[in-house]
Amino acid sequence: GGGGVDLQASNEELLTRAQEAAAQNQVELAQELYLRALRRDPSLVDAMAGLAMLLHSTRCDLLQAEALYQHALRVEPRHVPSLSNYGLLLRDKYGDDEGGEVFFKRALDVDPNHPDTLCNYALLLTNVKKDHKSAADMFQLALKGDPWHVRSLCGFGMLQQNVANNYTAARSLYSRALQTNPAHVPSTINLAVLYRDKLNEPRAAESLILHALKLDPENPWLRANSASFCSNDSP
């Protein structure tokens, strides 16, 4: 149904619905579902990690996210999503790339094919270490495990666009990401930039930026850059 929360739902169902809500940018609903699961079972590490990722990715509350990741790892030290996302938080919050890498490696020791971790590590290799070959291998391994992994499609698209200058491959990767999740703002923005700057399709770029603004009106990049996409000759 709508935004309500079914009291009879199992924790498994609550977590699935929370993940779906988070993917669609329904932050309050996702938060409510994760908290409901945690009230039932305070040791549910998947709910802790999910809520932490939500607070982290929306930049709502990085301190609370950090506390949740740490708590999840005390309960289950080999919990791969918590290891991986805590590594991401160390990079985002403290600029601690080395600390991030330590946690990505710990996560891959437990599960060498975990798509989120491979994607997180590949982004570190791309942006910090400039090891584009290893990054491409990691993105491809992530997509072998999950061909529709949105963040890997987006990250690999950026590598194709900005490093390999393979604009056809980049467009195809972003399009697959948006086929999987039409609400994925980074893929929407990247495809818009590609259309405007490399493929000479300003109209397509503009409509993507307007779509991204509807999805995430507070996005800092959009607030700074969206005007430059909007044509002056539209009626």
Side-chain angles (χ1 to χ4, degrees):
V5 176
D6 175 8
L7 295 174
Q8 302 307 313
S10 69
N11 281 345
E12 194 100 341
E13 289 168 322
L14 288 176
L15 289 182
T16 303
R17 285 172 52 195
Q19 286 160 352
E20 287 167 358
Q24 300 305 317
N25 300 320
Q26 296 172 330
V27 176
E28 282 168 25
L29 175 59
Q31 203 163 339
E32 186 189 339
L33 290 159
Y34 282 130
L35 287 169
R36 183 165 294 246
L38 281 169
R39 278 197 294 274
R40 283 195 197 162
D41 179 358
S43 67
L44 203 61
V45 284
D46 285 333
M48 282 177 223
L51 179 57
M53 190 61 198
L54 186 72
L55 296 171
H56 171 185
S57 61
T58 55
R59 309 199 73 75
C60 287
D61 190 342
L62 291 181
L63 270 175
Q64 178 66 16
E66 185 171 13
L68 280 162
Y69 287 138
Q70 289 171 341
H71 184 52
L73 289 169
R74 277 196 296 276
V75 176
E76 194 181 314
R78 290 166 60 80
H79 188 245
V80 171
S82 297
L83 288 167
S84 183
N85 290 329
Y86 186 51
L88 201 56
L89 182 105
L90 290 175
R91 294 195 59 207
D92 290 347
K93 183 166 186 262
Y94 300 109
D96 181 1
D97 295 323
E98 284 175 23
E101 187 171 17
V102 167
F103 277 90
F104 298 156
K105 284 179 170 169
R106 278 176 60 187
L108 290 173
D109 280 344
V110 181
D111 180 359
N113 298 307
H114 187 247
D116 274 334
T117 308
L118 289 164
C119 178
N120 290 342
Y121 204 166
L123 290 168
L124 174 91
L125 291 169
T126 305
N127 299 326
V128 178
K129 303 211 159 184
K130 310 293 183 206
D131 181 353
H132 302 307
K133 165 88 177 69
S134 299
D137 291 345
M138 280 202 180
F139 281 131
Q140 282 168 315
L141 187 57
L143 290 168
K144 192 173 156 196
D146 178 0
W148 299 99
H149 189 255
V150 172
R151 289 175 55 241
S152 293
L153 290 165
C154 182
F156 196 27
M158 286 175 75
L159 194 66
Q160 296 289 357
Q161 178 176 346
N162 300 325
V163 178
N165 297 328
N166 185 341
Y167 307 130
T168 313
R171 177 168 60 182
S172 157
L173 287 157
Y174 296 144
S175 300
R176 273 171 60 195
L178 291 171
Q179 219 178 314
T180 314
N181 180 7
H184 192 245
V185 174
S187 297
T188 309
I189 291 173
N190 289 345
L191 185 55
V193 171
L194 181 70
Y195 273 140
R196 183 188 68 178
D197 295 350
K198 303 297 180 192
L199 301 175
N200 194 27
E201 294 189 40
R203 285 301 168 92
E206 182 179 0
S207 80
L208 283 164
I209 288 296
L210 294 173
H211 176 57
L213 278 166
K214 281 201 193 83
L215 293 169
D216 189 3
E218 300 303 310
N219 184 290
W221 190 94
L222 286 169
R223 295 183 79 160
N225 295 285
S226 60
S228 69
F229 283 81
C230 297
S231 55
N232 304 319
D233 57 3
S234 47

